[in-house]
Amino acid sequence: MAELKAVYNEEFLRGFGAKVHTAHAAFDTDKFVKDIMDDTWQELELKARMRRISEKLGDHLPARYEEALEVLFAIDEHCAGFPYLFFPDFVEVFGQAPEHWDLSMKALERFTSKSSAEFAVRPFLLWDPERMMRQMTAWAQHPDEHVRRLASEGSRPRLPWGQALPMFKKDPAPVLPVLELLKQDPSLYVRKSVANNLNDIAKDHSDVVLETARRWKGTHPHTDWIIRHGCRTLIKKSHPEAMALFGYADSSAEEPLASAASLTVEPSEVAVGGSTELHYEIRVRDGQPAHIRVEYGIDFVKARGKISRKAFLLSDKTVPGGSRLSGTRTHSWADLTTRRHYPGEHRIVLLVNGQETASASLMLTGSGGEQQA
């Protein structure tokens, strides 16, 4: 995030201000930049900086929303890419009045192909979901892949970094007709979004996604790709119906898929920031070829001693019965923006189609060698 927010620096703002000035002679670039980069600017994260730019544009563009948009329309062809997400954000901030609905929809449709309006569309969904989903249905049939993607990405119940849509987390039925329109979309950009939308829905309504997957399966290669990726969380959790749907071999305590398995970790003690090597070996039960998914799971020690498991994929393929599989994987214990490590004993397990087949332990220490109390 720190690297991304650095895009919004003085050089960028002055360059953008110069573009605005070509369409609106009264625009004062120096004042615009000064108003944005006040004493609090360095403290602002990415989305807060984007919102600051939108709000200050409102101060420096014509007061009437319609006239302000005309200025942005005049320069948007020269403002494409991630940094210009504040174009649709401007619509979110200033275009939610009922009398501006049609113009705001036109603006979001236009701006999304230059950056993305997936965040900006969500307040409109919260305000009037029925009307907005009619718009999404129309966008799902648009010739521009960016607009079609907006129909799916904007209606995701759990869009990362975006406002949640609690009504769709409770009942995803209004979203499904849009996904139906996009299930064979020729654009991978769109298909990824449809899969992500299904994956969001699966976290609250696995039955809905599995029913959709069964109905769609085998109708088109693009659709098969979508449902496989849309069910990825269910597969990671070894949901029995999802595993069966995609042909994974059954594994149970009575007839384990792995007739033998081992897992070792070297070294068995490491400091935060270091790495370890995991060595695993599996013998698949005799008989028919089996589609297997091999993962290792780590029970991470969290703050206050809680445990949270995360699984990491090692292999996903069909193998002959009686096969032996082995391998080595290096795992880094360096902190990430999405995961912080805490000292303590970490249990590591080898998973075959969701079943634990072997385990090992690792002691993670702090940079000074301290352990979890």
Side-chain angles (χ1 to χ4, degrees):
M1 293 289 286
E3 294 80 5
L4 291 175
K5 75 176 186 179
V7 169
Y8 296 126
N9 53 33
E10 183 172 354
E11 180 183 4
F12 172 83
L13 293 171
R14 289 194 175 278
F16 172 68
K19 294 173 184 176
V20 178
H21 186 75
T22 63
H24 181 51
F27 189 81
D28 187 336
T29 298
D30 289 338
K31 183 71 164 56
F32 174 67
V33 173
K34 182 179 179 181
D35 287 352
I36 290 174
M37 301 187 72
D38 62 13
D39 294 339
T40 66
W41 177 250
Q42 292 301 323
E43 302 170 10
L44 300 182
E45 296 302 328
L46 176 66
K47 290 194 73 176
R49 288 190 175 193
M50 187 190 310
R51 179 54 55 89
R52 171 74 64 81
I53 296 170
S54 300
E55 292 173 343
K56 295 307 176 183
L57 265 178
D59 293 340
H60 288 265
L61 291 178
R64 290 186 68 246
Y65 177 64
E66 296 86 347
E67 294 179 12
L69 275 185
E70 284 300 320
V71 175
L72 297 183
F73 287 165
I75 64 170
D76 68 333
E77 288 295 331
H78 307 288
C79 299
F82 163 80
Y84 296 98
L85 279 169
F86 58 82
F87 273 59
D89 191 66
F90 181 88
V91 177
E92 176 184 340
V93 174
F94 297 103
Q96 292 192 52
E99 63 271 20
H100 295 151
W101 179 280
D102 290 338
L103 180 57
S104 291
M105 293 303 104
K106 174 185 175 183
L108 291 175
E109 178 179 314
R110 178 167 174 162
F111 293 153
T112 199
S113 64
K114 314 298 191 307
S115 52
S116 179
E118 65 204 61
F119 303 112
V121 78
R122 297 171 83 79
F124 293 91
L125 275 165
L126 291 167
W127 169 31
D128 193 339
E130 291 186 11
R131 187 178 184 185
M132 194 65 237
M133 288 310 295
R134 289 195 296 271
Q135 180 66 65
M136 295 295 217
T137 300
W139 281 341
Q141 301 167 81
H142 198 279
D144 187 332
E145 66 175 349
H146 296 86
V147 180
R148 297 197 306 276
R149 178 184 179 272
L150 176 60
S152 172
E153 197 73 3
S155 60
R156 285 179 59 181
R158 295 170 172 270
L159 180 67
W161 295 0
Q163 288 178 277
L165 300 176
M167 67 283 194
F168 294 158
K169 289 165 69 174
K170 182 178 180 181
D171 179 13
V175 180
L176 297 178
V178 169
L179 304 187
E180 288 281 351
L181 290 169
L182 299 171
K183 67 183 180 182
Q184 295 182 15
D185 200 277
S187 167
L188 179 59
Y189 187 49
V190 177
R191 296 198 301 273
K192 285 181 177 179
S193 178
V194 176
N196 288 337
N197 200 318
L198 285 174
N199 192 54
D200 280 3
I201 295 171
K203 294 173 182 177
D204 300 298
H205 301 277
S206 60
D207 56 331
V208 172
V209 172
L210 287 169
E211 190 280 327
T212 300
R214 283 191 290 267
R215 183 163 45 83
W216 286 4
K217 194 171 188 289
T219 60
H220 193 281
H222 289 344
T223 312
D224 285 345
W225 185 94
I226 286 171
I227 60 174
R228 175 60 179 79
H229 287 267
C231 290
R232 64 185 182 274
T233 293
L234 297 178
I235 292 171
K236 286 179 182 178
K237 293 182 176 180
S238 301
H239 189 290
E241 290 183 52
M243 298 294 280
L245 181 65
F246 293 101
Y248 289 95
D250 181 43
S251 183
S252 63
E254 293 76 21
E255 190 181 6
L257 182 57
S259 59
S262 64
L263 175 68
T264 59
V265 182
E266 298 178 356
S268 59
E269 182 173 321
V270 68
V272 173
S275 63
T276 52
E277 284 196 346
L278 311 180
H279 305 275
Y280 68 93
E281 186 170 347
I282 300 164
R283 186 182 186 281
V284 179
R285 69 188 177 206
D286 295 330
Q288 298 296 315
H291 187 181
I292 65 171
R293 181 181 177 87
V294 183
E295 303 165 288
Y296 68 95
I298 299 180
D299 291 335
F300 286 104
V301 175
K302 308 300 287 184
R304 301 175 185 172
K306 293 184 177 181
I307 301 297
S308 177
R309 176 172 292 185
K310 179 174 176 57
F312 302 85
L313 182 65
L314 291 167
S315 180
D316 190 328
K317 60 185 178 181
T318 299
V319 299
S323 296
R324 291 183 180 274
L325 293 85
S326 62
T328 300
R329 173 66 60 88
T330 300
H331 183 89
S332 172
W333 296 89
D335 285 340
L336 306 171
T337 55
T338 54
R339 182 170 64 249
R340 183 181 175 187
H341 295 90
Y342 295 87
E345 185 175 9
H346 289 63
R347 183 169 181 261
I348 305 175
V349 297
L350 184 66
L351 302 165
V352 179
N353 287 12
Q355 299 295 314
E356 292 187 14
T357 60
S359 66
S361 293
L362 175 136
M363 181 58 69
L364 186 65
T365 63
S367 56
E370 73 272 14
Q371 299 180 5
Q372 184 80 11

